Every structure is written in structure tokens, then in C-alpha cells.
Amino acid sequence: MEYILYETKGAVATITISREKALNALNSTVLTELGQVLDNVDQNEIRCLILTGAGEKSFVAGADIGEMSSLTKIEGEAFGKKGNDVFRRLETFPIPIIAAINGFALGGGCEIAMSCDIRLCSDNAIFGQPEVGLGITPGFGGTQRLARLVGAGMAKQMIYTGRNIKADEAFRIGLVNAVYPAAELMEAAEKMAAGIAKNAPIAVRNAKKAINDGLDVDMDTALVVEEKMFGACFETHDQVEGMTAFMEKRKVEAFLNK
Ligand code: CAA
């Protein structure tokens, strides 16, 4: 692939968007390759993914402005759909995804981070939805996910003003889970990913699905979603092993993803 690196370490895989000369901006090729890399994740072996950007300055500086500059209305809508489709795949991917945000997360960069399950960032990270300054709206999910994450009032403020915010403010408003010194970000993301990877994979996946699906429906329906996901864990090898180990006061031998 031209712009995506994929590395595995045990049960954790890291996807790096690598288009450093454009601060990892998302053009059509990057979006296509992101879809391809997800197609090829070995979902039996890999239990947590990390998404980051190449270099020390930028996570993702947005959708590619040069590519968008001459789009027609119909092409603009199609470009939005292309981004939305692949970001939705990240959001609903069966395995958890941690965004390790190592610098600029602007426009599509903030939006791709919001499609991940967990956001960790470096202390030099900058977040923003600057699209209205370019004459467009956020188009890869920003109008929807930002409001859900930080509330409609703060999302509207960020989107209407187009003002960027620093890591500490992103943390304060709940846009990121934690902030680390830049040199420690990847280690922190890998440590968290390894901790997730140690847990029973079916349970982790079912928890992700229950949270995601439950957020889209009313509470009564959401609790039924939870009951289904909870019930589906029973009679698995990993449920039997997890509970037997507890009762026998020993460590789990291995979660086998079955
Ligand atoms: N698209 C295309 N190229 C980009 C880019 C983007 N989003 N962001 C940066 N680049 C390119 C620059 O054009 C420049 O290329 P050249 O060296 O060939 O000139 C290179 O990356 C380095 O950028 P700068 O020289 O501008 O670096 P800087 O340190 O001075 O500034 C920055 C960094 C503040 C991030 C600045 O690059 C910037 O403002 N980028 C655009 C951010 C932005 O507006 N993002 C939102 C895009 S719209 C969007 O994402 C829509 C959507 O929701 C789908």
C-alpha cells in the first residue's frame, strides 16, 4: 500500500496513516487503502488495533483540500460518503480501536479519531473542525459524532467558530480519554491495547457492539441489546474458563476466542 503501514505485535496491530508530506491528509487513495487494511486484519489473531499517523507533527490534518477543491456537488457528496463508509467500518469494526493522536487532528483527522473506540493523545495534539473556514461543513461524520461525544453546545461552538483546541481542552471537554507526553504516547496506547487483548475477546467484542448499538436506540431496546450480547457470552470456552479460574482461585490459562 502507498499510504498505510500495518504492523503486528502479538495480538495488537497498529495501522499508521503515512502520507507525511501532506501531514497525513486523507485523499481518496488513503481512504481506499484504509478499507483494504481493515479487510485484511486477522480477526482471530488480533484483539485490539491502534490507529496513528506517521511523523511527530500530525495525526491527520484533514481530508485532502487539494482533491476537494474542484469537486462538484455530486462529487462532494460521494467523497463524503466514501469517508463516512470507511469511518463507519472503523466504528463498528468487531475489534476495539484506539486512536493514538500524535499531533494535528483537524477536520477529517478529528473525525477519524472520533470513529475509534478510545482516544489517547500527545500533549502537542491540536483538535478542530475548521471546515466552515474553507466553505464546507464537516463531512466525515463531524456534525454527528462530535455532538454525541462532547454535547451539542460544545460541538456547535467548535464547528461554527472553526477554532482549534489544544490537548488539555480536548481532555477537559471529553473529546480525548487521556493526554501523554509525546514520547510516551505510543507506549501508553500499546500498554492499553495489550491490556484489552488479554481479556476474553468475545466478551470485549460483544461489549463494543452492545455499547454502539445501544447508543442508537431507546433505553428499553438498548437493554435488550445488552441482554443478547451478555447471553451470547455464555457456553463459550472463555466464559467457562474465566469463571472456573475465579472459582478455583487460579489465573485464567488462556482465552481462546471461542
Ligand atoms: N489537505 C491537503 N494538504 C494538506 C492538508 C490537507 N488537509 N493539511 C496540510 N497539507 C499539506 C500542506 O499543503 C503542505 O503541503 P506543501 O508542503 O506541498 O505546501 C504540507 O501539508 C505541510 O503543511 P503546512 O506547510 O501548512 O504546515 P504548517 O505546520 O504550516 O501548518 C496545519 C499545519 C495548521 C495543519 C496546516 O497545514 C493546515 O491548516 N492544514 C489544513 C487543516 C484543515 O483545514 N483540515 C480540514 C480539511 S477539510 C475536511 O477535513 C473536510 C471533512 O470533514 C471531510
Side-chain angles (χ1 to χ4, degrees):
M1 286 191 199
E2 197 178 350
Y3 297 126
I4 303 285
L5 305 173
Y6 184 73
E7 292 159 287
T8 60
K9 218 187 262 178
V12 174
T14 301
I15 297 171
T16 305
I17 298 175
S18 179
R19 194 185 169 217
E20 222 180 312
K21 68 176 174 34
L23 303 184
N24 307 321
L26 304 168
N27 62 14
S28 294
T29 309
V30 177
L31 295 174
T32 301
E33 290 185 0
L34 260 174
Q36 289 168 348
V37 82
L38 292 180
D39 288 339
N40 289 314
V41 172
D42 182 340
Q43 294 186 25
N44 290 319
E45 293 298 318
I46 300 303
R47 298 183 181 181
C48 191
L49 290 167
I50 298 171
L51 177 72
T52 194
E56 289 172 5
K57 184 171 166 181
S58 182
F59 172 64
V60 170
D64 191 290
I65 299 169
E67 182 173 339
M68 286 185 294
S69 61
S70 57
L71 298 183
T72 62
K73 285 184 196 300
I74 288 173
E75 289 166 344
E77 190 174 331
F79 189 61
K81 178 165 169 43
K82 190 173 172 74
N84 274 340
D85 286 352
V86 71
F87 287 17
R88 185 70 176 144
R89 282 197 65 199
L90 292 170
E91 187 169 48
T92 59
F93 202 67
I95 298 164
I97 307 180
I98 298 172
I101 304 156
N102 56 318
F104 291 112
L106 301 176
C110 188
E111 291 167 310
I112 197 169
M114 291 191 291
S115 306
C116 297
D117 296 276
I118 293 166
R119 280 156 294 286
L120 309 180
C121 78
S122 55
D123 51 10
N124 65 333
I126 304 271
F127 297 80
Q129 296 289 162
E131 288 88 347
V132 294
L134 295 163
I136 56 172
T137 61
F140 289 170
T143 59
Q144 304 310 309
R145 293 195 180 94
L146 190 57
R148 284 165 170 77
L149 261 177
V150 304
M154 191 56 80
K156 286 176 175 177
Q157 179 179 318
M158 281 181 69
I159 290 171
Y160 300 168
T161 65
R163 192 179 66 84
N164 293 342
I165 60 171
K166 293 183 176 164
D168 55 351
E169 194 176 348
F171 177 67
R172 188 179 60 76
I173 66 172
L175 182 53
V176 297
N177 296 35
V179 184
Y180 297 92
E184 293 167 23
L185 173 66
M186 280 316 288
E187 194 184 323
E190 284 170 8
K191 194 169 165 199
M192 184 181 283
I196 291 170
K198 259 200 256 160
N199 289 323
I202 294 169
V204 172
R205 288 174 195 205
N206 286 10
K208 172 167 178 170
K209 190 162 168 47
I211 295 167
N212 279 355
D213 291 359
L215 282 171
D216 291 336
V217 295
D218 66 88
M219 183 59 89
D220 290 319
T221 312
L223 290 172
V224 175
V225 170
E226 183 183 80
E227 288 153 19
K228 298 272 178 238
M229 290 298 106
F230 179 65
C233 296
F234 287 83
E235 298 179 62
T236 61
H237 165 278
D238 293 347
Q239 174 259 326
V240 174
E241 168 60 11
M243 293 192 179
T244 306
F246 174 82
M247 288 184 300
E248 292 176 354
K249 301 190 187 306
R250 61 169 172 82
K251 288 207 163 125
V252 166
E253 270 177 30
F255 286 129
L256 301 180
N257 196 17
K258 62 180 189 181

